[in-house]
Amino acid sequence: MRVVVIGSGIVGAGAAYHLTRRGAAVTVVDAGCQGGATRAGAGIVCPWVDHPEDDDWYRLTREGARAYPALVEELGEDIGYAKVGALLVAEDPVDLEPVRALLRRRHAAAPEMGDVVDVDTPTELFPPLSDGLSALLVPGAARVDGCSVRDALLRAAMAGGAQVRTGVATLTPDGRVLLYQAEESTQWSPAVAAAAPAEGEPASWRQAAPLSAAPAAAAPASPEALRLTGEGVPVEADMVIVAAGAWTGEVCRPLGVELPVFPRRGQILHATMEGVDTAWWPIILPRTGPYLLGFPDSRVVVGATVEDVGFSPRVTMGGLDEVIEAGLRVAPGLFNATVTETRVGLRPVYAPGRALIGPLTDRVIVATGLSAYGLTAGPFTGEVAAALALGETPPLDIAPYAPPR
């Protein structure tokens, strides 16, 4: 079985990994677009606090989190995964009661979350926090380094025979793949404006409302506008998996389908606290942003903005101001931390609400729309897509996520 995977983010890398483990001949194609979501993800794996009114969304993220320990063992290398726990914090303890009830309701079917307990002095676990915060500890929550996961999956896939090629993959109306090389100065950005979120989109513990901003102008993405050089080179495939993140709709347009997948920008900040061991600090999840989490090397991550601004992967003064101001409000002890890096990513969002996973045609599978939960459910979503491409029964009922046909 020859399978082409379009996109080398965490979903595409996960698909390539699981395909090669099942003996498929895999080619991964990536256009190298600026703004890929995987690199900018914080790395929070704590699905139990989100999607209180959407069991299908929750089921996907829960299974994604549940699959990580086995994946870590299979890969056999450090991908930044550690069960550090999550502190849900609020100034008023009353604000913790809804999420406490949600966790209590979900615990029997997800005992891996651990026993949720009150924490009287959260500053003992995360010293920079503001005094006086009330907190619940979810001990099963984990953090992971998204880039490390993606790279480890791709390395393992390549060790299994997969090829990784750089270029712009386009589809023909019958689902064949053509590979073009674009001029280095050209960035690939679909000529589609940001779509509006679905009405009644359920609120989640850590997913704030988008900022009010007009969609940014986007460059066209046709082969002519891209100034693609030469003729498209056919890439032989029996099946194709499109895991191109926010660009998935543009990739699939030649099939005659319009997928309302749009980008939601997130700006995130990395800081260091010299001489401080932050490796085992818990994730901090306030009722409304920002989240904070520690990594080795005295690193703390603070983020992220939630902006519907089209295909505009830029770090902005306003975005950084929002992240810093909100971060210091929750953790004033970070005031003297050194800002070492800023990142920006375009989360892929499927306008109807939840993820988009399933067959578009007899040859093409789509897997995208994980929004802010890509690092939680990405490798598992890749496994689902791989099973579909190989004609196997996937490890999850895809009916709630399948595209209309």
Side-chain angles (χ1 to χ4, degrees):
M1 173 73 77
R2 300 166 300 177
V3 184
V4 170
V5 179
I6 300 177
S8 67
I10 198 164
V11 176
Y17 169 73
H18 288 287
L19 286 165
T20 55
R21 281 172 60 86
R22 290 163 168 78
V26 178
T27 301
V28 179
V29 181
D30 193 90
C33 304
Q34 292 184 354
T38 296
R39 181 177 178 273
I44 296 169
V45 183
C46 185
W48 315 289
V49 301
D50 288 327
H51 306 114
E53 305 301 329
D54 192 330
D55 289 342
D56 293 317
W57 234 134
Y58 167 62
R59 190 175 301 111
L60 176 63
T61 57
R62 183 193 65 193
E63 294 306 308
R66 189 172 283 169
Y68 258 110
L71 180 64
V72 172
E73 185 174 351
E74 291 169 7
L75 292 173
E77 60 177 287
D78 183 10
I79 57 172
Y81 180 84
K83 285 192 175 182
V84 295
L87 280 177
L88 314 182
V89 300
E91 294 181 359
D92 187 340
V94 173
D95 291 337
L96 295 173
E97 292 311 308
V99 75
R100 187 199 302 273
L102 177 66
L103 292 168
R104 185 180 298 120
R105 172 164 61 88
R106 288 176 166 174
H107 189 276
E112 64 272 16
M113 75 172 66
D115 294 330
V116 178
V117 296
D118 289 278
V119 176
D120 294 330
T121 52
T123 53
E124 291 183 359
L125 299 178
F126 198 102
L129 283 178
S130 174
D131 291 331
L133 290 174
S134 298
L136 295 177
L137 176 65
V138 184
R143 52 104 169 125
V144 68
D145 186 306
C147 291
S148 295
V149 178
R150 186 265 321 279
D151 292 348
L153 289 168
L154 285 177
R155 280 193 297 269
M158 293 172 69
Q163 296 183 0
V164 179
R165 303 175 66 177
T166 301
V168 178
T170 65
L171 294 175
T172 64
D174 61 354
R176 292 181 298 112
V177 179
L178 297 177
L179 178 62
Y180 291 84
Q181 296 300 320
E183 294 182 2
E184 291 184 359
S185 61
T186 303
Q187 294 300 324
W188 188 42
S189 298
V192 290
E199 290 294 328
E201 184 173 304
S204 289
W205 179 261
R206 63 183 175 91
Q207 184 63 48
L211 295 177
S212 298
S222 67
E224 294 78 16
L226 282 168
R227 301 189 301 278
L228 300 176
T229 58
E231 296 183 359
V233 177
V235 183
E236 297 301 325
D238 301 300
M239 294 294 294
V240 180
I241 295 174
V242 181
W247 294 267
T248 296
E250 184 69 20
V251 172
C252 294
R253 184 164 288 116
L255 300 174
V257 297
E258 291 292 330
L259 298 178
V261 177
F262 67 96
R264 178 165 284 169
R265 185 169 71 187
Q267 301 181 53
I268 196 166
L269 179 150
H270 291 233
T272 57
M273 302 185 70
E274 187 174 352
V276 178
D277 183 5
T278 59
W280 291 95
W281 284 6
I283 302 159
I284 303 300
L285 299 178
R287 176 62 188 91
T288 57
Y291 47 73
L292 304 94
L293 60 159
F295 281 88
D297 301 322
S298 303
R299 179 161 55 106
V300 177
V301 174
V302 187
T305 63
V306 183
E307 305 169 81
D308 289 338
V309 294
F311 285 87
S312 181
R314 300 183 298 114
V315 175
T316 66
M317 294 284 284
L320 288 183
D321 178 69
E322 177 190 346
V323 170
I324 292 171
E325 189 276 333
L328 290 178
R329 186 172 62 248
V330 175
L334 294 175
F335 186 83
N336 287 317
T338 301
V339 176
T340 53
E341 186 179 4
T342 59
R343 299 183 183 182
V344 60
L346 303 176
R347 310 175 184 95
V349 178
Y350 184 47
R354 57 178 72 107
L356 175 63
I357 311 166
L360 286 179
T361 72
D362 292 340
R363 289 172 53 88
V364 180
I365 307 295
V366 65
T368 190
L370 295 182
S371 186
Y373 305 93
L375 299 191
T376 300
F380 179 73
T381 299
E383 181 180 4
V384 172
L388 292 171
L390 296 176
E392 301 175 357
T393 301
L396 183 77
D397 178 12
I398 65 161
Y401 323 102
R405 297 190 69 181

